[in-house]
Amino acid sequence: MSDTIVAPASGLARAGVGVIRVSGPDVKNIAIQLAGKLPQPRYAEYVSFQDIDKGLMLYFPSPRSFTGEDVLEIHCHGSPIIINLIIKKIIELGARLARPGEFSERAFLNGKIDLTQAEAIADMINAGSEAAARAALHSLEGVFSEKIHALDQSIIELRMYVEAALDFPEEEVDFLQDGVVQKKFENIKQTLAEVLLQAKQGVILQTGMTVVIAGKPNAGKSSLLNLLSGRDSAIVTPISGTTRDILRENIDIDGMPLQIIDTAGLRETDDPVEQEGVRRAQAMIEKADRVLYLKDVTHDEHESDDLLQHKALTIIYNKIDLIKKQASLEENKIYLSVKTGEGIDLLKNHLKTCMGFSESTENACTARERHVDALKRAEEYLEKADVSQGELLAENLGLAHKALGEIVGVFSTEDLLGKIFSTFCIGK
Ligand SMILES: Nc1nc2c(ncn2[C@@H]2O[C@H](COP(=O)(O)OP(=O)(O)OP(=O)(O)O)[C@@H](O)[C@H]2O)c(=O)[nH]1
Ligand SMILES: [Mg+2]
């Protein structure tokens, strides 16, 4: 990598301080041209950025820097205009604007962090809840990678053991049937299952799920959105057809992030505005991870439920306060009252169960769909392996090892790297 990159590290927001990051071989020269000096490594110095602004400059010489290259950090006033002027000047001095995620990509390519750690940086910045931020920190500290490495190590060991057996065909059978292989193999499978579960949990923490509230007009959908989000975001009236637009709120239930979406009541109508609302509601329903289909218990209770086809459907009978019924939950049916709040805990617990969310996020790590996929593939290879057939076992252990390597970035194609880092923002 021969060029020097620059980007606003703190975004282009109006704030007290704005941070610009520069990385690459021209850093020393750029510092001298811009501020008249190169600061002492890792000490903040107060300098003038030509006639643009005054502020702090820090120099991190290679390899002890975030990217592993020479890095300069510039703290100026947090004005988008000032930040852009300084960046323009730095580009004149020979740098170019960084691509999204390019700083993290360089850190990965220079061996400062592995792929899951690079992803954890993005996860931390995007975290939607405290639990998600904490989990991202664990991943960034390498806790998740450690688990993958440990698992990988046991696979390699077993594979070496099996390969050794294959080299002595006359003793192979004894080797494979001495119980050691079987035991090690079972341990690996069990650990893999545990890591997979943790990774799924990590994905939930990171991305949350999309829950769409749907149903007939006046069932209490907007009231439910307001109750769950704890704010008065949707208009609620006794008039059917109040909501037309899609409304979104990000909430978290005991640390589990959720996006809840309120929609227009589903009904036949001649009003073109409402028709568009119903069309949008149906589009949201199709994309939802879960649909809460709300009914008014006073008149819709016995209506057939096949009004709506969705793979993840929960039917909610609302307004039980009007018929003095008890709140209850069975399978995917919940009786509750948004007005009195009775049964809302049942709904919250139901949502946690649906997502497989466990309460103990204390030691959780963030993870991605990509990690879950790779772990699942590794699991499939192990399923195909057979302890009594050496060749087959060795081959599948090798394939599982390769799948795990993709997670931390040992065996990653350029394609995959491009895909991962391009989802980062500029400056990361
Ligand atoms: N008694 C009682 N009334 C409720 C309850 N939940 C909502 N309501 C009332 O039902 C009416 C309709 O509520 P909304 O939340 O606007 O219903 P909606 O499903 O969003 O209606 P549309 O937007 O028209 O589709 C309002 O007058 C609410 O106060 C409940 O649990 N009990
Ligand atoms: Mg509404």
Side-chain angles (χ1 to χ4, degrees), residues 65-68 103-121 139-142 145 408-409 421 424:
S65 70
F66 173 63
T67 56
F103 289 92
S104 306
E105 186 175 8
R106 288 187 177 195
F108 166 70
L109 293 173
N110 289 325
K112 301 295 286 188
I113 48 175
D114 69 24
L115 211 44
T116 60
Q117 289 173 304
E119 288 166 323
I121 297 173
S139 291
L140 181 56
E141 285 171 339
S145 315
V408 286
F421 287 107
F424 284 41

Side-chain angles (χ1 to χ4, degrees), residues 331-351:
E331 277 182 62
N332 288 327
K333 283 196 176 110
I334 302 178
Y335 285 83
L336 54 72
S337 164
V338 175
K339 187 176 175 185
T340 64
E342 210 193 330
I344 293 299
D345 282 348
L346 295 177
L347 172 61
K348 288 184 176 174
N349 287 331
H350 170 70
L351 288 173

Side-chain angles (χ1 to χ4, degrees), residues 61 112 132 147 164 191 194 203 332 344 396:
K112 301 295 286 188
K147 289 178 187 173
T191 313
E194 283 162 17
V203 174
N332 288 327
I344 293 299
N396 281 298

